[in-house]
């Protein structure tokens, strides 16, 4: 009885979870070496960008919300552009929604909130949904940027930089599968499954019930 309770307690403490491997994400961008090891500097499509460590907060349903800042480095004589990428991740590691906005020296461009809408044919639901959200997010930002008649190379490719960060952040998602079935089996081999009360037979042995907090045993 006591071993059964311990097994159930162990199962509860090892419940499934989701998170982001920030070290792996930073390594994929070249390493957290800028701004006191809080950001990564890198080149993309001939322009310089800087990504800061994401801010991660839990969501009520067991997932996480990630907010990521990305800068377009325009040089000493010009003000940098800024972008914010926000991603909601479900407890199973899937992308629930994503949104981004760009601040380009007096011009602010915000994408729609892109949500997962089903799966992509030929791909798993998690990966297929993530690919679709990333593609729709980039297309939405690019179309709105085009309306502003922006031609500077680093700014034109800013949506692609956002997509690049989105892809790498998705690859850094880590999930912990619920080990409940395996843990329960290893904790006490041969422990019978919990069942409802049964009526004793006519020759059933007498049960000796001890006080609260003491182990109970069946005399044979």
């Amino acid at each position: 009885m006591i071993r059964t309770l311990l097994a159930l307690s162990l199962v509860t403490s090892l419940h499934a979870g989701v998170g982001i491997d920030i070290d792996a994400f930073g390594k994929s961008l070249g390493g957290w070496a800028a701004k006191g090891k809080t950001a990564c500097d890198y080149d993309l499509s001939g322009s310089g960008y800087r990504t800061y460590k994401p801010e991660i907060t839990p969501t009520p349903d067991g997932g996480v919300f990630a907010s990521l800042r990305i800068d377009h480095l325009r040089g000493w004589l010009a003000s940098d552009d800024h972008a914010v990428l926000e991603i909601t991740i479900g407890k199973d590691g899937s992308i629930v929604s994503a949104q981004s906005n760009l601040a380009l020296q007096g011009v602010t461009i915000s994408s729609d909130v892109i949500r997962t809408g089903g799966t992509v044919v030929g791909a798993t639901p998690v990966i297929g949904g993530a690919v679709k959200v990333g593609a729709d997010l980039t297309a939405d930002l690019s179309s709105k940027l085009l309306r502003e008649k922006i031609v500077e190379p680093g700014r034109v490719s800013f949506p692609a930089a956002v997509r690049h960060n989105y892809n790498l952040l998705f690859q850094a998602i880590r999930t912990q599968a619920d080990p409940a079935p395996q843990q329960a089996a290893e904790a006490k081999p041969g422990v019978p499954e919990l069942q409802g009360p049964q009526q004793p037979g006519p020759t059933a042995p007498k049960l000796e019930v001890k006080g609260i907090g003491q182990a109970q045993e069946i005399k044979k």
Side-chain angles (χ1 to χ4, degrees):
M1 182 68 177
I2 294 177
R3 290 182 179 180
T4 301
L5 292 176
L6 288 175
L8 292 175
S9 176
L10 180 62
V11 169
T12 302
S13 64
L14 294 178
H15 190 66
V18 62
I20 295 176
D21 189 336
I22 295 180
D23 289 338
F25 175 59
K27 186 177 180 180
S28 66
L29 288 169
W32 302 114
K35 293 292 183 179
K37 296 186 177 181
T38 63
C40 299
D41 287 353
Y42 52 94
D43 291 333
L44 190 66
S45 300
S47 299
Y49 296 93
R50 174 177 294 151
T51 296
Y52 292 83
K53 287 185 177 181
E55 296 182 2
I56 313 296
T57 55
T59 59
D61 62 351
V64 293
F65 174 80
S67 179
L68 183 67
R69 174 183 165 183
I70 308 164
D71 290 348
H72 167 218
L73 308 178
R74 303 179 63 230
W76 293 102
L77 301 178
S79 299
D80 294 341
D81 299 323
H82 308 287
V84 175
L85 173 62
E86 298 177 337
I87 304 175
T88 301
I89 304 167
K91 62 181 180 181
D92 61 348
S94 63
I95 300 295
V96 177
S97 65
Q99 184 179 26
S100 181
N101 63 72
L102 310 178
L104 311 175
Q105 197 173 8
V107 177
T108 300
I109 299 172
S110 298
S111 76
D112 296 336
V113 177
I114 310 298
R115 303 183 185 278
T116 305
T119 62
V120 175
V121 176
T124 62
V126 171
I127 298 177
V131 170
K132 186 176 188 306
V133 169
D136 291 348
L137 178 68
T138 305
D140 189 41
L141 282 176
S142 297
S143 64
K144 292 177 178 177
L145 190 64
L146 185 61
R147 297 173 195 170
E148 300 295 334
K149 299 181 179 179
I150 298 204
V151 296
E152 184 178 331
R155 288 177 168 176
V156 171
S157 60
F158 212 173
V162 172
R163 174 71 179 275
H164 180 63
N165 279 266
Y166 170 89
N167 290 341
L168 296 179
L169 191 68
F170 175 74
Q171 294 174 10
I173 295 174
R174 302 289 183 263
T175 57
Q176 178 184 353
D178 190 348
Q182 182 179 358
Q183 290 292 341
E186 294 178 353
K188 181 66 173 68
V191 174
E193 297 182 359
L194 297 179
Q195 300 178 352
Q198 300 179 356
Q199 296 296 330
T203 59
K206 181 179 179 182
L207 298 179
E208 180 181 351
V209 181
K210 295 187 177 183
I212 298 176
Q214 299 180 349
Q216 300 181 9
E217 59 182 21
I218 299 177
K219 291 186 175 180
K220 298 183 180 178

